[in-house]
Amino acid sequence: MKRRQFLKSTSALLGGTLLSSVALPALAQAEPVKGGTLIWGHSETTQNLDMHQTGTASTGRVLQNVHDSIVTVDKDLNVIPNLAESYEISDDGTVYTFKLRDDVMFHNGKKMTSEDVKYSFERCKDPATGAVNFEVFNNVTGIETPDDTTVVVTLDKVNAPFIFRLAENGAGVVMPAGSGDEQGNTPIGCGPFKFVRREFGNEVELERFDDYWDGPAYLDKVIAREITEPTVRLTGLRTGELHMINDIPADRITEIEAEEGLQVVSWFPLNWDFVNFNHDFEPFKDPKVREAFDYMIDKEALLEGALWGQGKVTASPSYPTSASYNHDLKQRPQDIEKAKALLAEAGYGPGELSVVFKATTNYPYHIEAAQIMLEWFRMAGVDATIEQLTWSDWLSQVWVDKDFQISMMNFFTLWEPDFLYYSMWNTEGAFNYRKISHPKVDELTAKARVTTDPQARAEVYKEVQKIVHDETLDVLLWFRNGTIGAQPAVQGLDTIVHPNGSNLNFHKVWLQN
């Protein structure tokens, strides 16, 4: 199979972020100038700063500016060279040869070589590292470095999404050889900004890296202030304390768009949200109970109540423009009586089932959504309570310890179908914190990896979606819009949103004097 055929077959599955609107003041666009510190009101808090280990989009959104990956994607999510100036795939799809750029410098002053790529890939593959993308390298049997600018990766069998997974700034990120122990607290990369400091739960400071291979950034510094409270974030923008914020409060977007002197960038989608069941919790082992909870939820009403309609309901988590999106699936309508009947069939009469809904204050709209859903649960005869957790506590209890009954989460950047379906629903998936183990899903997600025909592969993922829906492994809710608000002085906002719809790249952003 030729490289061009391989790329054609896989890229046909994907679609890019849909930019819905850019409301910018009519300012004269001068040439970019260097200098200045941009203060960004970041809507979430960062966690572990090790790009291999972190599973949170909030941290990745910052580290996107510190690290670069061996390949990346263009605006249409086609894979293009990055730290590798070129790459070739063997006819049988099992050997990947990367020719590296010879002008890439790390923030510690070391020049990047093939040794660093080998180290980074082997570190991600090693189970002891605890990398969230370890399974990307499951089929890798050898990594050779014939010279300083050549890396040859050999797989034991075809893995159709392999090159796309390397385009993520997790699996494909290149770190200096031997730097693993430092990455969690002092990340070292070769991106446009170098890490300076972090005050946990408060702010992260990045500084321009003048030796960046793709040309230095315009900004001297970016300071990401972690402000999870939406109204505080918005007030900071309006008073000028903040240059820009992400996640404008959903109920204020129309107001801010009409406000003279502020810029608004909106796009769709930013992420998707779903309700999670712990499949080890006895009641949720029964698909009838899970289905009953699905019938309790009015998805359109929830979208309006928690997000002020800033999104679109969906029965599939696939990118809206992806060929793998299963348009045949329809969300279950709210039917409280049907929910009661299903619970009765499962052996739970009124008041006989109790659940605790764990939601994180890191996403205030999750708290609002949980409060709305609890009223519906109670209408169906379920004794339901809510437990509000900080982001760190949610990650510890729900993500790591899997100590929960029912919860809610959103996921970003899962634009690649393998990353989405294998990570989320395969028994061994890195993001399968719900303890889902479904043999047919495991079989299908493994089958997709060796299916190179684009339409056939898309059909496999449609089968996975149907199982997730029909057996209510989770309850898909909606895609959420993304928004940025900014002061007039912030320029280059048309370059800031990564094609995956989640990450923010400050390389070409500048401040007008």
Side-chain angles (χ1 to χ4, degrees):
M1 177 173 51
K2 297 296 184 184
R3 175 177 177 273
R4 190 184 329 183
Q5 295 173 318
F6 184 91
L7 293 177
K8 183 178 179 181
S9 72
T10 49
S11 65
L13 287 173
L14 304 172
T17 301
L18 310 176
L19 189 67
S20 60
S21 68
V22 183
L24 305 177
L27 295 175
Q29 296 298 308
E31 287 295 313
V33 295
K34 274 192 174 183
T37 296
L38 184 141
I39 310 298
W40 161 33
H42 188 195
S43 63
E44 303 176 51
T45 56
T46 56
Q47 302 295 319
N48 182 352
L49 296 175
D50 187 328
M51 197 62 177
H52 282 158
Q53 296 173 350
T54 188
T56 65
S58 56
T59 307
R61 198 169 293 130
V62 173
L63 294 181
Q64 167 76 21
N65 297 278
V66 174
H67 292 291
D68 266 347
S69 52
I70 192 165
V71 291
T72 187
V73 291
D74 63 17
K75 64 182 180 61
D76 296 315
L77 295 176
N78 297 308
V79 175
I80 58 174
N82 198 42
L83 295 179
E85 64 179 13
S86 65
Y87 63 94
E88 294 291 335
I89 304 173
S90 64
D91 288 349
D92 66 359
T94 63
V95 180
Y96 293 71
T97 303
F98 300 92
K99 189 66 177 178
L100 305 180
R101 299 181 183 276
D102 64 0
D103 58 349
V104 177
M105 299 295 294
F106 288 111
H107 301 156
N108 62 0
K110 179 182 180 296
K111 187 175 181 179
M112 184 192 75
T113 69
S114 56
E115 175 192 11
D116 302 300
V117 177
K118 178 179 172 69
Y119 168 81
S120 299
F121 287 2
E122 289 182 342
R123 180 175 188 261
C124 197
K125 176 182 172 66
D126 184 357
T129 302
V132 295
N133 289 300
F134 70 94
E135 36 80 20
V136 173
F137 299 94
N138 281 353
N139 298 122
V140 173
T141 56
I143 303 175
E144 299 175 6
T145 56
D147 57 56
D148 281 352
T149 60
T150 306
V151 179
V152 181
V153 180
T154 302
L155 280 60
D156 58 9
K157 61 181 178 181
V158 171
N159 185 333
F162 182 68
I163 195 68
F164 285 91
R165 295 297 299 273
L166 291 183
E168 300 158 14
N169 229 359
V173 68
V174 179
M175 303 172 172
S179 69
D181 291 343
E182 303 173 64
Q183 293 290 340
N185 294 310
T186 309
I188 303 170
C190 55
F193 290 89
K194 56 185 178 182
F195 176 84
V196 177
R197 64 179 176 85
R198 176 177 68 170
E199 297 173 16
F200 189 84
N202 184 28
E203 65 181 32
V204 179
E205 180 180 340
L206 307 179
E207 182 177 72
R208 181 177 62 237
F209 180 49
D210 286 326
D211 292 326
Y212 183 49
W213 65 270
D214 197 24
Y218 301 119
L219 297 168
D220 290 337
K221 292 184 178 183
V222 174
I223 293 180
R225 290 191 180 155
E226 300 172 352
I227 308 171
T228 59
E229 172 52 50
T231 55
V232 175
R233 210 163 52 245
L234 183 56
T235 299
L237 177 66
R238 281 178 152 162
T239 61
E241 180 185 351
L242 305 173
H243 287 105
M244 64 162 277
I245 64 173
N246 66 300
D247 276 356
I248 299 171
D251 60 332
R252 310 293 289 278
I253 291 174
T254 303
E255 171 190 336
I256 301 306
E257 286 177 333
E259 188 166 323
E260 188 174 350
L262 289 179
Q263 305 183 79
V264 175
V265 179
S266 302
W267 67 95
F268 174 88
L270 168 65
N271 65 270
W272 51 272
D273 288 81
F274 63 159
V275 173
N276 306 147
F277 307 111
N278 187 331
H279 287 240
D280 254 9
F281 179 53
E282 188 61 38
F284 292 141
K285 291 180 180 179
D286 190 333
K288 289 182 179 178
V289 175
R290 302 195 300 266
E291 185 179 359
F293 275 79
D294 195 355
Y295 274 113
M296 296 176 202
I297 303 169
D298 184 331
K299 286 78 175 179
E300 289 282 4
L302 192 63
L303 178 66
E304 290 296 326
L307 275 185
W308 293 74
Q310 293 295 322
K312 184 179 180 181
V313 296
T314 181
S316 166
S318 279
Y319 244 53
T321 55
S322 172
S324 66
Y325 189 101
N326 192 334
H327 293 275
D328 293 334
L329 300 180
K330 306 298 179 187
Q331 290 179 319
R332 294 181 177 95
Q334 185 180 55
D335 189 334
I336 298 297
E337 294 307 313
K338 176 71 171 176
K340 289 179 179 178
L342 285 167
L343 288 179
E345 289 179 36
Y348 297 99
E352 293 180 355
L353 175 59
S354 297
V355 298
V356 176
F357 196 124
K358 291 188 175 182
T360 174
T361 55
N362 191 59
Y363 301 106
Y365 75 95
H366 281 194
I367 302 299
E368 295 174 10
Q371 290 169 341
I372 295 170
M373 283 188 279
L374 255 61
E375 292 304 313
W376 292 331
F377 297 167
R378 291 163 183 161
M379 288 169 59
V382 176
D383 177 18
T385 56
I386 185 172
E387 187 174 338
Q388 299 188 29
L389 302 175
T390 65
W391 189 217
S392 294
D393 285 343
W394 189 95
L395 289 169
S396 175
Q397 294 181 32
V398 180
W399 180 274
V400 177
D401 294 338
K402 302 171 177 58
D403 177 19
F404 75 103
Q405 297 170 359
I406 188 169
S407 188
M408 177 181 179
M409 189 36 58
N410 46 218
F411 275 85
F412 304 79
T413 75
L414 304 190
W415 53 271
E416 202 286 320
D418 179 72
F419 190 17
L420 172 56
Y421 292 106
Y422 193 99
S423 296
M424 296 299 308
W425 284 283
N426 187 284
T427 300
E428 302 300 323
F431 295 165
N432 183 4
Y433 57 92
R434 289 97 64 223
K435 296 187 178 180
I436 295 170
S437 184
H438 194 292
K440 186 62 175 177
V441 169
D442 291 349
E443 175 190 330
L444 289 170
T445 48
K447 177 182 177 182
R449 288 187 160 185
V450 296
T451 303
T452 56
D453 177 75
Q455 191 55 48
R457 186 167 173 236
E459 293 303 316
V460 173
Y461 289 124
K462 288 179 181 180
E463 287 186 65
V464 175
Q465 293 161 64
K466 191 173 188 306
I467 294 171
V468 172
H469 176 271
D470 290 353
E471 300 192 27
T472 325
L473 301 184
D474 294 287
V475 178
L476 272 295
L477 296 175
W478 56 59
F479 289 113
R480 180 165 69 105
N481 298 348
T483 54
I484 288 172
Q487 297 289 336
V490 182
Q491 300 294 301
L493 286 175
D494 57 325
T495 70
I496 196 171
V497 182
H498 188 278
N500 64 28
S502 172
N503 287 341
L504 302 180
N505 192 325
F506 292 93
H507 181 214
K508 298 298 184 182
V509 175
W510 55 284
L511 291 175
Q512 190 174 52
N513 294 329

